[in-house]
Amino acid sequence: MPFVQVIEYESDRPADVRALSEEWGQQQLPNRPARMTLSEDRERPGHFVMVAEFDNYEQAMAHSAQPETGRYAERMRSLTRGEPRYVNLNVLQRNL
Protein backbone atom coordinates (compact mmCIF):
# COMPACT_ATOMS: atom_id res chain seq x y z
CA MET A 1 0.00 0.00 0.00
CA PRO A 2 1.47 3.42 -0.90
CA PHE A 3 2.38 5.70 1.99
CA VAL A 4 2.59 9.50 2.17
CA GLN A 5 4.20 11.64 4.84
CA VAL A 6 3.17 15.28 5.08
CA ILE A 7 5.38 17.68 7.03
CA GLU A 8 4.14 21.18 7.84
CA TYR A 9 6.35 23.90 9.26
CA GLU A 10 6.93 27.64 9.47
CA SER A 11 10.10 29.39 8.34
CA ASP A 12 11.36 32.92 7.72
CA ARG A 13 14.12 31.50 5.50
CA PRO A 14 12.41 30.20 2.34
CA ALA A 15 15.55 30.41 0.18
CA ASP A 16 17.49 28.31 2.69
CA VAL A 17 14.66 25.79 2.96
CA ARG A 18 14.53 25.45 -0.81
CA ALA A 19 18.31 25.10 -1.14
CA LEU A 20 18.40 22.39 1.52
CA SER A 21 15.50 20.55 -0.12
CA GLU A 22 17.21 20.70 -3.52
CA GLU A 23 20.45 19.40 -1.99
CA TRP A 24 18.51 16.59 -0.29
CA GLY A 25 16.71 15.69 -3.53
CA GLN A 26 20.02 15.23 -5.37
CA GLN A 27 21.25 12.57 -2.97
CA GLN A 28 20.86 9.00 -4.18
CA LEU A 29 19.94 7.40 -0.87
CA PRO A 30 18.41 3.95 -0.58
CA ASN A 31 14.71 3.95 0.33
CA ARG A 32 14.32 7.57 -0.72
CA PRO A 33 10.81 8.82 -1.54
CA ALA A 34 9.44 8.07 -4.99
CA ARG A 35 8.44 11.74 -5.12
CA MET A 36 8.90 14.73 -2.86
CA THR A 37 7.05 18.02 -3.22
CA LEU A 38 7.84 21.25 -1.36
CA SER A 39 5.08 23.87 -1.31
CA GLU A 40 4.51 27.25 0.30
CA ASP A 41 1.01 28.30 1.33
CA ARG A 42 -0.18 31.22 -0.84
CA GLU A 43 -2.45 32.49 1.91
CA ARG A 44 0.16 32.21 4.69
CA PRO A 45 3.65 33.12 3.46
CA GLY A 46 6.27 31.32 5.49
CA HIS A 47 4.03 28.25 5.97
CA PHE A 48 5.47 25.26 4.10
CA VAL A 49 4.16 21.79 3.36
CA MET A 50 6.42 18.97 2.25
CA VAL A 51 4.86 15.81 0.81
CA ALA A 52 7.02 12.68 0.59
CA GLU A 53 5.52 9.74 -1.34
CA PHE A 54 6.78 6.21 -0.73
CA ASP A 55 5.91 2.85 -2.26
CA ASN A 56 4.93 1.57 1.19
CA TYR A 57 5.17 2.22 4.93
CA GLU A 58 8.18 -0.06 5.37
CA GLN A 59 10.19 1.91 2.81
CA ALA A 60 9.32 5.16 4.60
CA MET A 61 10.43 3.77 7.97
CA ALA A 62 13.68 2.45 6.47
CA HIS A 63 14.26 5.91 4.99
CA SER A 64 13.55 7.58 8.35
CA ALA A 65 16.03 5.26 10.10
CA GLN A 66 18.96 6.29 7.88
CA PRO A 67 21.52 8.59 9.58
CA GLU A 68 21.45 10.91 6.56
CA THR A 69 17.72 11.44 7.03
CA GLY A 70 18.27 12.35 10.68
CA ARG A 71 20.96 14.88 9.74
CA TYR A 72 18.67 16.40 7.10
CA ALA A 73 15.82 16.68 9.62
CA GLU A 74 18.10 18.45 12.10
CA ARG A 75 19.28 20.90 9.45
CA MET A 76 15.67 21.52 8.39
CA ARG A 77 14.61 22.03 12.01
CA SER A 78 17.27 24.74 12.36
CA LEU A 79 15.49 26.67 9.58
CA THR A 80 12.00 26.45 11.11
CA ARG A 81 10.03 28.26 13.77
CA GLY A 82 8.75 25.73 16.26
CA GLU A 83 8.46 22.00 15.69
CA PRO A 84 7.34 20.58 12.36
CA ARG A 85 4.00 18.75 12.28
CA TYR A 86 4.05 15.26 10.77
CA VAL A 87 1.05 13.49 9.26
CA ASN A 88 1.51 9.85 8.18
CA LEU A 89 -0.99 8.57 5.64
CA ASN A 90 -1.78 5.20 4.08
CA VAL A 91 -2.95 5.86 0.53
CA LEU A 92 -6.30 4.12 0.07
CA GLN A 93 -7.13 5.35 -3.41
CA ARG A 94 -5.39 7.41 -6.08
CA ASN A 95 -7.21 8.86 -9.09
CA LEU A 96 -5.78 10.68 -12.06
Side-chain angles (χ1 to χ4, degrees), residues 16-74:
D16 294 332
V17 166
R18 189 172 196 165
L20 180 59
S21 293
E22 288 174 6
E23 176 186 323
W24 178 248
Q26 293 173 2
Q27 294 187 31
Q28 298 297 317
L29 297 175
N31 301 305
R32 71 186 197 155
R35 181 181 317 175
M36 194 154 86
T37 303
L38 174 62
S39 305
E40 184 175 11
D41 190 328
R42 291 178 61 92
E43 307 303 319
R44 295 187 300 170
H47 180 84
F48 294 87
V49 177
M50 185 178 295
V51 179
E53 298 181 38
F54 296 90
D55 294 335
N56 54 56
Y57 174 79
E58 293 75 20
Q59 178 190 8
M61 293 304 100
H63 174 72
S64 292
Q66 295 176 143
E68 297 89 351
T69 303
R71 286 192 291 274
Y72 168 79
E74 284 302 314

Side-chain angles (χ1 to χ4, degrees), residues 1-15:
M1 173 181 307
F3 180 81
V4 173
Q5 185 172 65
V6 178
I7 307 164
E8 291 185 87
Y9 57 91
E10 306 286 328
S11 179
D12 295 325
R13 300 170 61 185

